[in-house]
Amino acid sequence: MSTETIRTTYREAVRAAICDALDRDRRVFLMGEDVGRYGGCYAVSKGLYDQYGPERIRDTPLSECGFTGAGIGAAMGGMRPIVEIMTVNFSLLALDQIVNNAATIRHMSGGQFHVPLVIRMASGAGKQLAAQHSHSLEGWYGHVPGIKVIAPATLEDARGMLWSALEDPDPVILFEHVMLYNREGELTADAGPVPITGAAVRRAGTDLSLITYGGCLFKTLDAAEELAADGIAAEVIDLRCLRPLDDATVMASVRKSHRAVIIDEGWCTGSLAGEVSARIMEQAFWELDAPVGRVCSAEVPIPYPKHLEDEALPQVRDIVAAARAALGR
Amino acid sequence: MTSHMTRDEMTAIVREELTNVAPDLADETIPIDADLREEFDLDSMDFLNWITALHKRLGVDIPELDYPQLTSLGAAADYLLRATDRTKSS
Amino acid sequence: MSDVYRMPSLGSDMEAGTLIEWARQPGEKLAKGDTIAVVETQKGAIEVEVFQDAVMGKPLINIGDKVPVGTPMAELEPIGAAETKAPRRSGREAGTEIEDDERAAGSPAPPAPDQPQPARAAPEPTPTRQRASPAARRLAEAEGIDLARLTGTGPDGAIVLADVQAAAPRHAEQPPSAPERPPPRAGLDLAAMRQAIAAAMTRSKREIPHYYLAEDIDLTTATDWLARRNADLPPDRRLLMGALFIKAVALTLRRFPELNGFDRDGRFEPSAAIHVGAATAIRGGGLVAPAIHDADRLDLDALMAHLRDLVGRVRGGGLRASELADPTITVSSLGERGVDRLYAIIYPPQVAIVGFGTPRARPWIIDDAVVVRTVVSATLAADHRHSDGHRGALFLARLAQRLQDPDTL
């Protein structure tokens, strides 16, 4: 592997992943609202329409249920579609296609058909898009058997997980947190596919396990840095794959640290954080030295004003406070 | 057990489990060939608890009919060495 | 108005006890049957329990104090004391107030169905058990460390792993192959136990007019049944003949209430429950007979598990007061190494004791032929003030019948 790196952004890494997939496999195409001429509402597909043409970068009508269904049909017919849904809130219009069709067709057909479809969508709050465009519903999708749910947070994962998702024979929902698109960093020039199974330990530590994913990863790493200044060695786990969850990595960490705090931008009630907490209780209860903690969004529609939006979301200080509570200091 | 144990190692295990079920014997010097029931007053419940502990630790079956073969620490060690060999070879 | 907890009597032979430690701190909640303190008696260190739901109040004696039975040891506050001190009651005379307080300390009448709970003055949720993390509990158990002795440094004073590690002789990242042996039994003074046995047996022989009966019982069927049953079972599920004896005695006693209970100043007080004291010899001398509660209602596996547990705690410490004070009859079984029969002495204030000698192969007559059978001699010693030899003989005969049909035990 080359050690040469390039300076890039999360957005560019996703675009590079799409180009790579379009180049690798003639069956791959991208479709969604404004993905073509406009270049995508988060400018992920900017320039691709000119590069690949309208057959492979397809603008669709404003009908999530319709074009998601078309994507499912195309996948069953042998194509490898990437369906982009602008933001997760709009995916609710396509829930019937995703939950009732994509997730069940392999089962309903007795294995005769499968749906090798990837649905990309932007998720999360922080851009002052107010209550209707700021949801974190990863946990909802993680509830449904028959689909895989991934949430790349790093440049490597943004660059590498799309191809693995396309290679998967079953539907994969890929969440891109809106606050990550502009994140800059170094990426190796020859970065390639990343498996879509398993969590990643982003920072090693022994005093407690901070478990998170997606948009909260970097807040959590910042919190770990702050804790380290006080001599607290936090381990940070990036779940990455929200369905299926990688219990082994989580439990190995908890067995080492005996304390866990889960950071999840979803609302606390019925959250993915709750699921992870329950699994820790089931599988590592006797290892625990403190109750499992959760840092989630306030149970309100996400507010529009900046100061209220910040207040509603998990922040570094909340993570530090929860970590300290778990440690009793 | 993963490897062959020596008689000394097995005797140590047998002695350790005995003092676990009868902590009051921990300070006694128990000769390897002393009759545990006759000379050290091991009653039938102590004996059964000892057999239970050895069964759990070593995974060997010790049927009741074989109890007379486990009269002393040494006899028990010999019996268990034979039994673990049987378990491995079967 | 608070109640007091008094030094309990753990048997008619106990005159005094020494406070070794408190199991609860003032303000902590106690449920009926919870251990409040550890008391050293002639039978060793015994955990003593409270007889009512209460909140631990002010201690009235110090650790190390030896006080006679009946001496107040600590105040007990009724649960929800705050609400019972509501102003509406202030005008009443003291006598009524005591009654009401006692009622408050017991269980209040349940509210009618579908009615919301009355608005209570929300007593502070006092912890009913030591706050300790799962990891701390596991290490404490592995290291044989009593959590009650530790001071927690975690949130709200909870005991966390670091507290146990600090108290552990060595840290516990070791393979769990050989569990730590429990510490040697604390507070057991064999000389003091000798004195206690002497006092009880002297009183028994002086006061109780014993009568003795013996019956040889064919144990072949039961022995074969036991061997067949145990042959297919791992050691931890095997039964001992002693468990069958206890169950048989307990079941038979249901029809002989005059043998099951206590002598109270010459009057017989029968017991509805059948708690069999299992006489257990202590190596080096000494004897205790802790109770197997409701032995007639336990199936054999459960009874055997209780027996194992009791013997383990006789050896390793940790008998509870109720186990020593509760037996309504005692069974003494000599096991495999003994003599043909024993004539036991009743343990006051009980009124009977059943003895089993060592089962042996003996000549036995069946249909005019002499055959070899496994035979045990069962004996009964009973208090002639409360039963007669005729009933005692019937008891032994029924017991013999019971043992012919081990499937019904």
Side-chain angles (χ1 to χ4, degrees):
Chain A
M1 192 196 212
S2 162
T3 51
E4 190 195 337
T5 61
I6 49 167
R7 189 88 189 151
T8 188
T9 62
Y10 185 96
R11 173 186 291 106
E12 287 161 3
V14 176
R15 186 187 300 136
I18 295 170
C19 291
D20 182 33
L22 290 164
D23 294 340
R24 277 176 187 249
D25 189 336
R26 292 290 308 160
R27 298 172 299 174
V28 173
F29 67 98
L30 174 71
M31 71 169 163
E33 294 162 359
D34 285 336
V35 299
R37 290 179 182 82
Y38 182 71
C41 76
Y42 286 99
V44 167
S45 52
K46 206 168 184 63
L48 299 189
Y49 181 83
D50 295 333
Q51 194 177 338
Y52 292 95
E55 288 286 307
R56 302 191 73 195
I57 308 293
R58 304 175 75 97
D59 281 318
T60 65
L62 300 188
S63 169
E64 284 77 8
C65 191
F67 67 77
T68 303
I72 292 169
M76 290 171 68
M79 301 298 279
R80 292 290 180 272
I82 304 169
V83 169
E84 176 180 312
I85 296 178
M86 250 183 217
T87 47
V88 65
N89 49 282
F90 294 121
S91 78
L92 304 187
L93 293 155
L95 266 185
D96 180 53
Q97 290 294 356
I98 298 171
V99 176
N100 273 330
N101 291 332
T104 64
I105 281 170
R106 175 188 285 284
H107 170 79
M108 294 296 288
S109 70
Q112 295 179 87
F113 301 107
H114 60 113
V115 184
L117 167 74
V118 174
I119 303 174
R120 290 177 45 244
M121 53 182 107
S123 142
K127 287 194 170 293
Q128 281 194 270
L129 295 174
Q132 292 173 323
H133 303 289
S134 298
H135 301 78
S136 235
L137 300 178
E138 290 87 339
W140 279 20
Y141 285 101
H143 179 67
V144 182
I147 56 181
K148 292 192 174 70
V149 181
I150 57 179
T154 63
L155 298 179
E156 291 78 8
D157 286 353
R159 173 67 183 80
M161 289 182 113
L162 179 68
W163 178 251
S164 303
L166 283 165
E167 292 217 298
D168 196 280
D170 292 313
V172 177
I173 316 284
L174 192 157
F175 285 97
E176 296 161 11
H177 195 284
V178 296
M179 296 306 284
L180 294 174
Y181 283 127
N182 289 332
R183 218 183 153 83
E184 272 192 51
E186 301 289 326
L187 184 64
T188 53
D190 61 353
V194 170
I196 55 165
T197 53
V201 177
R202 298 297 185 196
R203 178 187 179 118
T206 50
D207 292 338
L208 85 158
S209 304
L210 300 175
I211 301 158
T212 188
Y213 68 90
C216 285
L217 173 63
F218 294 97
K219 293 176 181 176
T220 304
L221 285 168
D222 289 348
E225 193 65 35
E226 202 171 302
L227 290 165
D230 279 349
I232 297 168
E235 183 149 290
V236 177
I237 293 176
D238 175 7
L239 290 171
R240 301 201 292 178
C241 304
L242 310 183
R243 184 182 188 96
L245 281 167
D246 175 6
D247 292 348
T249 298
V250 171
M251 301 314 152
S253 180
V254 171
R255 288 196 179 93
K256 184 172 63 174
S257 70
H258 306 292
R259 297 168 196 87
V261 172
I262 303 148
I263 302 97
D264 178 0
E265 198 178 301
W267 291 300
C268 203
T269 303
S271 62
L272 193 79
E275 175 63 26
V276 174
S277 172
R279 289 177 185 224
I280 292 172
M281 231 75 82
E282 287 165 349
Q283 298 173 40
F285 179 81
W286 295 107
E287 300 290 344
L288 289 174
D289 204 24
V292 175
R294 286 192 286 171
V295 180
C296 299
S297 286
E299 306 255 345
V300 293
I302 302 300
Y304 167 73
K306 178 83 172 97
H307 66 292
L308 291 181
E309 183 180 46
D310 286 348
E311 201 59 35
L313 302 177
Q315 302 296 353
V316 173
R317 65 170 185 282
D318 305 318
I319 303 168
V320 169
R324 287 185 187 284
L327 284 154
R329 52 176 160 148
Chain B
M1 306 306 291
T2 50
S3 63
H4 285 273
M5 268 190 283
T6 65
R7 186 167 190 254
D8 283 351
E9 288 165 343
M10 185 62 91
T11 308
I13 288 176
V14 165
R15 190 186 291 274
E16 181 184 327
E17 294 300 346
L18 179 67
T19 47
N20 280 343
V21 300
D24 47 326
L25 289 179
D27 299 331
E28 302 268 353
T29 308
I30 305 176
I32 198 161
D33 55 352
D35 189 306
L36 295 169
R37 294 190 172 212
E38 293 299 333
E39 293 176 47
F40 287 89
D41 206 11
L42 206 67
D43 71 13
S44 47
M45 182 65 86
D46 295 328
F47 186 81
L48 177 57
N49 284 336
W50 182 47
I51 296 293
T52 303
L54 290 171
H55 168 72
K56 283 193 175 153
R57 174 123 174 218
L58 301 168
V60 297
D61 192 30
I62 309 171
E64 274 194 328
L65 288 174
D66 290 351
Y67 284 1
Q69 297 181 50
L70 292 94
T71 49
S72 67
L73 292 176
D78 291 338
Y79 174 88
L80 292 166
L81 283 171
R82 287 196 302 275
T84 47
D85 278 349
R86 269 201 306 278
T87 309
K88 264 197 298 286
S89 55
S90 62
Chain C
M1 183 71 197
S2 60
D3 205 343
V4 294
Y5 183 77
R6 296 171 189 277
M7 176 63 73
S9 169
L10 309 178
S12 61
D13 50 332
M14 174 172 161
E15 290 170 357
T18 306
L19 176 64
I20 295 181
E21 66 174 88
W22 292 111
R24 287 289 201 284
Q25 299 305 314
E28 286 188 53
K29 201 166 160 185
L30 288 152
K32 182 181 175 186
D34 279 354
T35 299
I36 181 172
V38 179
V39 168
E40 185 174 335
T41 71
Q42 291 163 315
K43 296 194 177 80
I46 304 295
E47 297 169 358
V48 296
E49 307 116 305
V50 291
F51 308 110
Q52 68 200 68
D53 295 343
V55 174
M56 176 79 181
K58 192 174 75 179
L60 301 174
I61 64 171
N62 297 316
I63 286 172
D65 287 355
K66 182 172 185 177
V67 297
V69 168
T71 305
M73 293 173 65
E75 289 183 351
L76 293 179
E77 306 288 346
I79 288 172
E83 95 195 89
T84 62
K85 294 194 174 118
R88 64 183 169 79
R89 302 181 59 252
S90 59
R92 301 222 199 145
E93 59 181 85
T96 324
E97 199 165 329
I98 294 166
E99 282 177 20
D100 279 3
D101 266 343
E102 281 173 357
R103 201 175 308 141
S107 48
D114 296 326
Q115 281 190 350
Q117 290 285 332
R120 293 187 161 247
E124 276 296 298
T126 42
T128 54
R129 67 197 286 247
Q130 189 87 39
R131 288 172 65 101
S133 77
R137 281 182 190 282
R138 196 181 53 177
L139 179 61
E141 190 178 347
E143 293 283 324
I145 292 171
D146 182 3
L147 287 173
R149 295 177 199 277
L150 302 184
T151 306
T153 62
D156 301 323
I159 293 170
V160 294
L161 191 57
D163 301 327
V164 184
Q165 282 169 344
R170 64 207 142 69
H171 289 193
E173 298 302 324
Q174 77 233 9
S177 59
E180 270 304 285
R181 105 172 38 126
R185 184 175 173 189
L188 176 63
D189 180 340
L190 286 178
M193 178 179 280
R194 191 75 260 147
Q195 279 182 9
I197 294 171
M201 294 301 103
T202 304
R203 178 183 154 198
S204 177
K205 273 292 191 180
R206 187 174 60 229
E207 294 180 6
I208 302 177
H210 288 65
Y211 67 87
Y212 300 97
L213 301 169
E215 170 79 343
D216 288 344
I217 299 173
D218 181 355
L219 209 56
T220 311
T221 308
T223 306
D224 292 347
W225 180 88
L226 197 62
R228 274 199 310 278
R229 191 177 190 284
N230 285 347
D232 297 332
L233 294 175
D236 59 342
R237 295 188 52 213
R238 289 177 196 162
L239 295 177
L240 289 177
M241 185 58 83
L244 270 65
F245 288 157
I246 290 171
K247 183 70 187 288
V249 166
L251 285 174
T252 308
L253 271 179
R254 285 177 173 174
R255 296 173 67 168
F256 296 86
E258 64 268 52
L259 299 177
N260 185 58
F262 307 103
D263 174 90
R264 303 283 189 212
D265 298 323
R267 290 169 58 95
F268 179 60
E269 182 184 285
S271 169
I274 297 173
H275 305 318
V276 177
T280 307
I282 292 171
R283 268 182 289 275
L287 178 73
V288 284
I292 294 185
H293 291 104
D294 299 309
D296 59 323
R297 292 193 302 201
L298 296 174
D299 66 38
L300 279 172
D301 286 322
L303 195 153
M304 181 67 192
H306 277 69
L307 197 57
R308 267 182 197 258
D309 175 51
L310 279 182
V311 173
R313 285 186 290 121
V314 167
R315 303 270 182 258
L319 287 178
R320 293 171 68 88
S322 58
E323 289 166 348
L324 291 178
D326 285 355
T328 56
I329 189 167
T330 297
V331 169
S332 183
S333 173
L334 288 180
E336 293 161 33
R337 293 171 307 111
V339 293
D340 285 348
R341 54 184 73 82
L342 77 156
Y343 299 97
I345 300 174
I346 297 166
Y347 184 65
Q350 295 166 34
V351 299
I353 182 167
V354 180
F356 290 93
T358 297
R360 297 190 196 287
R362 285 197 227 163
W364 192 256
I365 294 171
I366 295 179
D367 297 334
D368 292 335
V370 178
V371 293
V372 177
R373 305 288 281 182
T374 301
V375 175
V376 69
S377 283
T379 56
L380 170 72
D383 187 335
H384 219 326
R385 293 173 297 180
H386 306 303
S387 67
D388 302 315
H390 174 65
R391 288 288 290 167
L394 282 176
F395 170 80
L396 282 183
R398 293 260 188 226
L399 179 66
Q401 283 171 14
R402 275 268 173 219
L403 284 167
Q404 300 318 305
D405 201 356
D407 277 328
T408 65
L409 292 177

